Amino acid sequence: MGLLAFSYNVMLDGCVDHREGIADDESHDYFTGLMNAHGAMLWGRVTYELMEEYWPAVARGDISAPPALLRWAQQLEAKPKYVVSSTRTAYSWNNSHLLSGELRACVLRLKDQYPDGVLLGSGKLATALDRMELIDEYHFLIHPVIAGHGPTLHQAGLQKSRHLELISAQPLSSGAIAASYRRVR
């Protein structure tokens, strides 16, 4: 069975607003590497729609982008993308699929289907899946930014704390730190 890995940008004060982080070539290369290490992507509808608005156009060359962003966009285009939504059923973006049915069972099937694992990139969905104890690894890009506002990770709360074991930590030239953890309990 593959692992479910949660990947997210986070500021030093816990803010997870994607507009606050440092979006440079090195950070995009980091996320491209994570994506390539996993068999599929998993998002909630809101995150999917944010991604769908921009990245397919970059992959097609409709929007000019630096090489690191173009690599991310082109590889994301080919990657299977799964969406959890109770309101949307049609998806035109290449390799996009609706997860329908009971969430826990659907995610367990995805983990079985992809031995290389599934990369999750939606905060609210991560909270729901963390409450079900389905997340196996956490990959955070910790930015040297104090945003001074929310939203924050797991803002809606968990029933109990997650204890994690450090897998790796890598500083980036921007001052951000790519930190990977495995769930202990």
Side-chain angles (χ1 to χ4, degrees):
M1 176 180 286
L3 300 176
L4 179 61
F6 175 47
S7 174
Y8 227 55
N9 287 296
V10 63
M11 307 315 119
L12 290 174
D13 60 356
C15 175
V16 293
D17 184 332
H18 70 276
R19 298 167 295 186
E20 293 293 340
I22 299 165
D24 61 7
D25 287 353
E26 193 175 20
S27 64
H28 279 93
D29 285 341
Y30 166 74
F31 284 113
T32 300
L34 272 178
M35 176 178 55
N36 289 338
H38 293 83
M41 305 294 289
L42 176 60
W43 295 317
R45 180 193 53 82
V46 172
T47 300
Y48 176 86
E49 289 177 351
L50 284 171
M51 303 293 270
E52 177 187 42
E53 286 177 13
Y54 183 71
W55 294 112
V58 173
R60 288 189 307 269
D62 297 344
I63 297 174
S64 178
L69 273 69
L70 184 58
R71 280 191 300 277
W72 160 264
Q74 289 172 337
Q75 292 172 32
L76 181 59
E77 187 70 18
K79 187 66 73 173
K81 294 168 279 294
Y82 291 88
V83 185
V84 174
S85 176
S86 60
T87 59
R88 183 172 170 180
T89 58
Y91 300 91
S92 60
W93 188 6
N94 188 43
N95 286 325
S96 296
H97 313 278
L98 174 66
L99 274 188
S100 57
E102 194 270 321
L103 182 59
R104 180 181 186 77
C106 287
V107 171
L108 288 172
R109 277 194 302 275
L110 273 183
K111 289 172 74 168
D112 277 341
Q113 184 177 346
Y114 293 98
D116 289 340
V118 177
L119 187 61
L120 165 66
S122 292
K124 289 180 183 177
L125 181 56
T127 299
L129 296 175
D130 223 346
R131 286 179 179 161
M132 295 178 203
E133 298 190 7
L134 290 176
I135 298 176
D136 304 296
E137 291 183 353
Y138 302 78
H139 302 277
F140 297 118
L141 189 56
I142 305 162
H143 296 266
V145 174
I146 296 174
H149 63 85
T152 60
L153 187 60
H154 294 332
Q155 193 165 317
L158 296 174
Q159 306 94 312
K160 61 182 181 176
S161 299
R162 292 287 173 263
H163 294 265
L164 309 175
E165 172 183 56
L166 181 66
I167 299 170
S168 67
Q170 174 69 40
L172 279 61
S173 60
S174 67
I177 299 170
S180 296
Y181 297 90
R182 180 177 303 114
R183 182 167 53 99
V184 177
R185 55 185 162 97

